[in-house]
Amino acid sequence: MPLHHHRHHHAAAASIAVAVADDDEAKPRRPYSSTFASPRAPISSSSASTHRLLLLFSLTCLLIAAASLAFAFSASRRRPPPPSAAGAETAAVAFRCGRAEDTLRAFLASSPRRNESAAGREKVLAVVGVHTEIGSAARRAALRATWFPPNPEGIFGTWNWFVVGRTKDKEKMADLQKEVDMYHDFLFIDAEDDTKPPQKMLAYFKAAYDMFEADFYVKADDAIYLRPDRLAALLAKDRLHHRTYIGCMKKGPVVNDPNLKWYESSWELLGNEYFSHASGLLYAVSSEVAGSLAAAKNDSLRMFDYEDVTVGSWMLAMNVKHEDNRAMCDSTCTPTSIAVWDNSCNPAEIVKQLHNTTLCSKSPTLPPEVEEDE
């Protein structure tokens, strides 16, 4: 082959090699991990990649450490409440139930000489709620001057309240608050003062049961003369039935004429005669009964027009023992009377007159023959 042809082939091969090399450098290379680097990858590129990963890892650790320090600092600033504040929270559960409030224990909880009775669901023989209206200050004054205990706590094992609702009338509430601040013997229930009596009664049971662990929960009217010692003696008796409903039981015709007194709007559900139920002047339900009422939803119970009938209907829905006691609705004082009621237009004056009678206020808790029998 001629020599000049040989040189031509060598030059062409060199040109092809240079072109291939240039083309190879122009093509993008597949990236490789630092662990399994390509034999073709330069050592300096692998080292740079490793440094970048280490730098990223270090920055991540620093961020985590900074976040941990910030959390620790904020947690250290959240100091636990002092013992007095923690105790106040516990007491608040004991003497408040929603909007309901025991004014005596609320006062004790806020007093520097705080009484232990302000905290916890206190155990008593009975809770006695004297139901009253905001405008009945004269009746409450008469009861405080006669039979209502000067200290609501610990009298014959009972706890005594004036049970009242609230009102949006600021002037009336201001007057009532003065009385509250003076005596601390009120239970504000979660109801307005003009709420119908059956709803107020249910609110009372809910609040009283939530605040006290009592054997009995008592409703009393603010127009009666009561002997708390005899009431306590009655409630302290041993009974076979744990679900008990005690009161002066009565029946009567259902009034279906809207023009007559005691008209019952739901008369068609009752028939011609009411079922046996306790007089609204004074009655008591045992703990299990009150607990069932306290657990009931407000709109799940039938509400009639009158409180005593309504409570009596609730008792029919439970397996309760009706205990009739005529001493709980006497018209005059006797050696055994528990509650005396005179159908008068001025009950405050009648209560004072009864209290000035020896047989009413100074006779023994139990007659001598009863004490001998026991």
Side-chain angles (χ1 to χ4, degrees):
M1 180 178 297
L3 184 60
H4 64 275
H5 287 166
H6 182 72
R7 285 197 300 270
H8 175 77
H9 286 301
H10 276 286
S15 299
I16 292 170
V18 171
V20 170
D22 292 341
D23 184 64
D24 185 54
E25 289 181 2
K27 290 181 181 179
R29 299 178 182 275
R30 182 194 301 177
Y32 292 92
S33 68
S34 60
T35 306
F36 301 100
S38 168
R40 296 172 61 187
I43 296 175
S44 60
S45 175
S46 175
S47 176
S49 176
T50 303
H51 283 307
R52 283 196 297 271
L53 289 173
L54 288 174
L55 179 61
L56 180 61
F57 178 75
S58 300
L59 288 174
T60 303
C61 291
L62 285 174
L63 288 174
I64 294 174
S68 300
L69 288 172
F71 176 79
F73 179 72
S74 63
S76 66
R77 297 189 66 180
R78 294 194 202 113
R79 297 179 181 179
S84 59
E89 291 180 4
T90 304
V93 176
F95 60 78
R96 290 192 180 96
C97 174
R99 292 177 62 218
E101 179 183 344
D102 172 6
T103 59
L104 175 60
R105 293 200 294 171
F107 168 73
L108 293 175
S110 63
S111 172
R113 299 179 60 185
R114 182 177 166 184
N115 192 300
E116 289 300 321
S117 65
R121 189 168 176 255
E122 190 169 344
K123 293 184 178 181
V124 294
L125 170 64
V127 171
V128 180
V130 180
H131 286 241
T132 184
E133 295 181 356
I134 292 178
S136 299
R139 292 191 183 189
R140 293 190 292 272
L143 298 192
R144 291 191 189 100
T146 55
W147 64 264
F148 193 86
N151 185 358
E153 57 177 331
I155 182 75
F156 304 114
T158 65
W159 190 281
N160 303 266
W161 281 316
F162 284 111
V163 180
V164 69
R166 291 181 170 87
T167 179
K168 295 178 181 178
D169 189 316
K170 294 183 179 180
E171 186 176 349
K172 289 183 178 180
M173 280 303 298
D175 291 340
L176 181 62
Q177 190 60 48
K178 294 177 183 178
E179 194 176 343
V180 169
D181 294 339
M182 183 175 294
Y183 297 105
H184 308 289
D185 54 4
F186 284 87
L187 168 65
F188 282 107
I189 56 175
D190 189 6
E192 297 299 316
D193 190 52
D194 57 356
T195 301
K196 291 184 177 180
Q199 282 90 348
K200 292 173 74 173
M201 198 66 235
L202 184 59
Y204 163 65
F205 281 130
K206 287 179 179 291
Y209 186 82
D210 186 78
M211 297 178 189
F212 282 88
E213 184 179 347
D215 293 340
F216 284 92
Y217 297 82
V218 181
K219 183 265 177 172
D221 193 274
D222 64 356
I224 66 171
Y225 183 84
L226 181 68
R227 285 289 298 258
D229 54 338
R230 291 178 185 167
L231 176 63
L234 170 67
L235 300 179
K237 290 182 178 179
D238 291 331
R239 289 175 174 82
L240 297 177
H241 298 273
H242 295 290
R243 291 180 293 275
T244 309
Y245 172 43
I246 308 172
C248 193
M249 300 297 166
K250 63 176 184 175
K251 290 183 178 181
V254 177
V255 180
N256 57 15
D257 186 345
N259 298 315
L260 298 178
K261 188 179 181 181
W262 308 119
Y263 167 69
E264 173 58 63
S265 59
S266 300
W267 60 268
E268 71 278 1
L269 300 176
L270 298 169
N272 296 322
E273 187 179 49
Y274 285 117
F275 40 80
S276 180
H277 60 279
S279 165
L281 297 173
L282 178 68
Y283 58 85
V285 298
S286 60
S287 179
E288 287 191 23
V289 178
S292 298
L293 295 176
K297 294 182 179 179
N298 289 349
D299 58 352
S300 66
L301 297 175
R302 171 72 64 181
M303 298 286 178
F304 292 102
D305 291 340
Y306 303 104
E307 168 234 324
D308 54 354
V309 173
T310 301
V311 174
S313 71
W314 298 341
M315 298 302 104
L316 290 180
M318 305 179 191
N319 185 23
V320 304
K321 170 68 175 177
H322 287 59
E323 187 175 313
D324 184 20
N325 192 308
R326 312 311 294 178
M328 298 175 75
C329 59
D330 268 327
S331 58
T332 58
C333 292
T334 70
T336 58
S337 59
I338 298 173
V340 178
W341 177 67
D342 186 307
N343 188 11
S344 169
C345 297
N346 193 348
E349 291 302 317
I350 294 297
V351 165
K352 294 177 183 178
Q353 293 174 15
L354 292 173
H355 189 69
N356 291 330
T357 304
T358 300
L359 186 60
C360 290
S361 60
K362 295 181 173 59
S363 57
T365 299
L366 298 175
E369 60 272 15
V370 175
E371 292 180 349
E372 291 175 2
D373 292 340
E374 295 186 355

